[in-house]
Amino acid sequence: MAPLSIHSTIKLQSGALMPRLGFGVYQSKDALNSVTVALEVGYRHIDSARVYRNEGQVAEVISQSSIPRDDIFFTTKVYSAEHGLDKTSRAVDDSLKTVSKCTNYFNLILLHDPNAGHKKRIEAYRALLKAKEEGKARDIGVSNYGVKHLQEIESEGLPMPAVNQIELHPWCQQKPIVEYCNKNSVVVQAYCPLVRAERNDDETLVRIAKEVGKTPAQVLVRWSLQRGFVPLPKSDTPSRIKENADVFDFDLSQAQMDTLNALDKGKAGACSWNPVDAA
């Protein structure tokens, strides 16, 4: 395996390349500035969503950037209240209207959660497949999906999603769904990779950070990358945006990885409500 860098990518089912490190804008208080800094630092993967209400701000930054649109991987998500064949189709078109200043497509559109129930989940997924056929999305995927939700898609004879975005960090490793995704060529994106700074004082994490001469946040991002995930760290602080991308000049040893892997607490380790078991 080639050494990881900020330019490292992973190939999706379509053949498209997605940057291995993404930048999240969930609850960003200043997405215009944060995304500007992120692009300057070297991020080329921006993860937004309709409920974040900042797709337009991301688009504004991309439109003003000297970086070509095709060099930036732009994601959005459609949440469960907008699931269903017609609702999801309208939501996609509405998001494209919002970002029309910079683009006429998203690199990736996800179903944000599985909470609309079986019928609407499948209808929404079919709507995303249609959006992909129409060129509105280069790839499609899901978020917060458990094994049973992906099995639903499979049982309908539909192609598997390119991506499943779930909460992942050493204290919440979601092993069953990660294993299922790996077996079915579904790329796993990791949200909350920094555990919202809730574990920065953890004794084990602090010790390993000192051993490698990095911050706890950098160790967490590096752990995620070495596990094969696509982490999506977020921050509105320029120095931390840069810090979270400065993770390619060191490796965690196998012993350090094993120690971090042993921290898993399952659902009890999650830092957000986790709807993986939703109906």
Side-chain angles (χ1 to χ4, degrees):
M1 179 178 174
L4 291 170
S5 77
I6 200 167
H7 305 297
S8 293
T9 58
I10 187 168
K11 185 177 288 187
L12 301 180
Q13 294 169 5
S14 66
L17 299 177
M18 179 171 66
R20 286 287 310 275
L21 179 65
F23 182 73
V25 292
Y26 172 64
Q27 291 187 337
S28 175
K29 297 178 181 178
D30 188 4
L32 283 170
N33 183 64
S34 297
V35 175
T36 298
V37 173
L39 293 179
E40 290 173 350
V41 166
Y43 291 89
R44 293 295 182 268
H45 176 178
I46 310 298
D47 181 81
S48 184
R50 286 178 59 74
V51 294
Y52 298 174
R53 301 189 183 279
N54 54 26
E55 295 166 312
Q57 293 179 61
V58 176
E60 179 72 23
V61 175
I62 293 174
S63 71
Q64 294 182 8
S65 172
S66 60
I67 302 166
R69 165 67 184 96
D70 287 345
D71 290 346
I72 299 174
F73 195 98
F74 190 5
T75 299
T76 195
K77 312 177 196 76
V78 181
Y79 70 117
S80 56
E82 297 181 314
H83 289 181
L85 192 62
D86 293 336
K87 281 187 174 182
T88 301
S89 295
R90 289 196 296 269
V92 169
D93 288 343
D94 184 61
S95 284
L96 283 171
K97 182 179 179 181
T98 299
V99 302
S100 60
K101 175 173 285 191
C102 81
T103 190
N104 61 359
Y105 72 93
F106 286 99
N107 297 85
L108 180 66
I109 303 179
L110 307 178
L111 298 182
H112 205 150
D113 60 78
N115 300 325
H118 170 76
K119 182 176 183 292
K120 288 185 177 180
R121 278 197 295 267
I122 294 299
E123 288 181 354
Y125 192 72
R126 290 184 185 278
L128 291 194
L129 286 170
K130 182 180 179 183
K132 182 180 177 183
E133 290 176 1
E134 295 172 345
K136 297 174 182 178
R138 298 287 171 86
D139 283 282
I140 66 168
V142 296
S143 179
N144 295 305
Y145 269 45
V147 172
K148 68 179 182 181
H149 305 121
L150 294 183
Q151 288 175 333
E152 284 179 353
I153 293 172
E154 186 177 18
S155 68
E156 292 285 336
L158 300 173
M160 294 297 284
V163 166
N164 186 15
Q165 184 182 125
I166 57 178
E167 179 178 345
L168 279 173
H169 46 75
W171 297 272
C172 180
Q173 296 180 35
Q174 304 217 54
K175 294 174 182 177
I177 184 58
V178 168
E179 180 180 0
Y180 187 89
C181 287
N182 289 340
K183 286 182 177 179
N184 289 276
S185 301
V186 178
V187 172
V188 178
Q189 290 184 333
Y191 74 74
C192 286
L194 307 182
V195 207
R196 297 179 182 168
E198 294 174 7
R199 302 278 185 170
N200 278 0
D201 295 329
D202 179 87
E203 181 178 341
T204 300
L205 179 61
V206 170
R207 174 174 58 79
I208 291 176
K210 289 180 179 178
E211 289 173 356
V212 296
K214 291 289 184 176
T215 67
Q218 289 170 319
V219 169
L220 291 174
V221 173
R222 185 72 199 190
W223 174 87
S224 195
L225 289 167
Q226 288 186 212
R227 283 291 303 269
F229 307 144
V230 177
L232 305 167
K234 67 160 295 265
S235 178
D236 280 332
T237 305
S239 62
R240 289 177 183 164
I241 294 171
K242 182 178 180 180
E243 174 187 303
N244 294 339
D246 184 18
V247 295
F248 300 105
D249 59 350
F250 76 105
D251 291 291
L252 295 171
S253 69
Q254 188 58 56
Q256 290 166 335
M257 289 293 292
D258 290 343
T259 298
L260 291 168
N261 290 339
L263 296 175
D264 190 24
K265 296 179 180 295
K267 292 180 182 178
C271 64
S272 64
W273 176 68
N274 193 335
V276 152
D277 292 326

